Amino acid sequence: MIDKIELELKPYRELLVNHSLYKNLKNIDDVKKFMEMHVFAVWDFMSLVKKLQIELTCVQIPWIPTKDSGSARLINEIVWGEETDVDKDGNAFSHFEMYINAMKSIKADPSKINNLINSLESNISLDSAFDNIQIDNAVKDFVKYSFSVINQNKIHVVAAVFTFGREDLLPDVFIKFLEQLKTKYPGSLEDLVYYFKRHIELDGDEHGPMAINMIKNLCGENETKWNEVIEASKQALQMRINLWDSINKKIIQNS
């Protein structure tokens, strides 16, 4: 089934890996625009991870052994790496915080994502929090799709979006960015390049194969679950395409 999934997702992946957005990142202002929108995807990723952690590990007292130690190990490693990694100077930060620091280093504006988080900290709903900020609809749709998946309470669907829409995809996509950044802005985007490198190192070498095994364990021989995995993964990739299209459009309009 994994071969079938990869075949069906191939057109979506090719659109993303070969997206014209990359070649249109021509200056620092373009990178700022990208980061100010993409940061929402960096943020909502952790809610997918936390949903998997809740369902696949034990986060209650008294502790009870998990039924799938392999998947539990993967999620614990992801949480450790994403929530408490180290930056290029050896300081402990989440990847989201690293991204915010990278934004600040090139004077990109993090106020919108900060406003969203501040609203959520005040127990305002996600929909209402989005109403309080002016952000592109593609960003809202991207985040809201992630939370719609979380709220379905189908853990194999959450795992599919996490694996095929994020974890299995991002190394290829981020490599494209690194190619652009290294040739066009050598030395000027050190913090962002480090962030991308961490994703490539962790996701490409370690977490991707473990995530595939997690999908296999969650779906087993259940054809319905496998079909739901395919459809959710397609939708997740389409949401990413829509986000990339929207960012690309804004960059072109302001060039």
Side-chain angles (χ1 to χ4, degrees):
M1 285 299 294
I2 296 297
D3 289 342
K4 179 184 178 182
I5 293 172
E6 291 179 347
L7 182 62
E8 295 210 25
L9 298 185
K10 185 177 180 181
Y12 298 85
R13 291 175 61 93
E14 289 181 347
L15 281 173
L16 285 166
V17 173
N18 298 301
H19 201 285
S20 58
L21 169 63
Y22 312 116
K23 68 180 180 182
N24 287 326
L25 292 172
K26 297 177 180 178
N27 54 55
I28 296 295
D29 286 338
D30 295 338
V31 178
K32 289 179 183 179
K33 292 182 181 70
F34 167 78
M35 296 185 76
E36 288 165 5
M37 295 176 70
H38 176 244
V39 66
F40 286 84
V42 177
W43 170 75
D44 85 335
F45 173 76
M46 279 306 299
S47 290
L48 291 168
V49 173
K50 287 297 182 178
K51 178 65 173 180
L52 291 169
Q53 185 182 34
I54 289 167
E55 298 293 335
L56 297 176
T57 73
C58 183
V59 290
Q60 68 182 37
I61 298 172
W63 177 82
I64 298 171
T66 60
K67 296 179 180 179
D68 183 353
S69 296
S71 294
R73 177 183 175 87
L74 166 66
I75 298 308
N76 283 333
E77 285 191 6
I78 293 285
V79 171
W80 175 78
E82 292 286 340
E83 201 168 32
T84 55
D85 202 0
V86 291
D87 67 7
K88 61 182 175 58
D89 298 316
N91 301 307
F93 284 109
S94 67
H95 281 190
F96 172 75
E97 291 168 308
M98 286 186 200
Y99 199 89
I100 293 292
N101 288 338
M103 291 179 70
K104 291 177 180 177
S105 71
I106 62 168
K107 295 181 170 56
D109 181 10
S111 62
K112 291 181 179 180
I113 186 65
N114 287 340
N115 288 342
L116 179 73
I117 293 173
N118 289 338
S119 294
L120 296 173
E121 287 177 339
S122 300
N123 294 319
I124 296 174
S125 71
L126 181 64
D127 286 342
S128 297
F130 265 127
D131 290 339
N132 293 335
I133 59 175
Q134 295 295 318
I135 195 68
D136 192 271
N137 284 334
V139 175
K140 293 182 181 180
D141 291 343
F142 186 94
V143 174
K144 288 181 178 180
Y145 177 70
S146 296
F147 281 88
S148 73
V149 167
I150 290 168
N151 292 331
Q152 284 183 42
N153 284 320
K154 293 183 176 181
I155 195 62
H156 60 284
V157 173
V158 178
V161 171
F162 166 82
T163 301
F164 298 111
R166 302 294 186 99
E167 202 74 358
D168 187 50
L169 166 74
L170 293 184
D172 288 339
V173 174
F174 284 167
I175 285 171
K176 286 287 183 178
F177 279 100
L178 280 178
E179 290 172 350
Q180 286 292 117
L181 296 173
K182 282 182 176 179
T183 57
K184 292 184 178 295
Y185 325 114
S188 61
L189 293 167
E190 186 178 354
D191 290 335
L192 183 58
V193 169
Y194 179 85
Y195 167 83
F196 285 151
K197 281 184 175 180
R198 289 300 294 156
H199 267 286
I200 292 169
E201 290 169 1
L202 292 176
D203 296 348
D205 296 338
E206 302 173 16
H207 295 161
M210 293 173 72
I212 296 294
N213 285 332
M214 175 177 63
I215 295 286
K216 291 178 180 177
N217 291 340
L218 290 171
C219 291
E221 301 298 324
N222 190 313
E223 186 174 352
T224 298
K225 287 184 177 182
W226 280 111
N227 289 334
E228 289 175 342
V229 161
I230 292 172
E231 291 309 311
S233 300
K234 286 181 179 179
Q235 186 63 30
L237 292 179
Q238 186 60 57
M239 286 295 177
R240 176 77 64 170
I241 292 168
N242 294 348
L243 179 61
W244 263 211
D245 287 345
S246 183
I247 297 173
N248 194 40
K249 182 178 179 180
K250 286 193 176 298
I251 287 173
I252 292 171
Q253 287 175 343
N254 290 279
S255 63

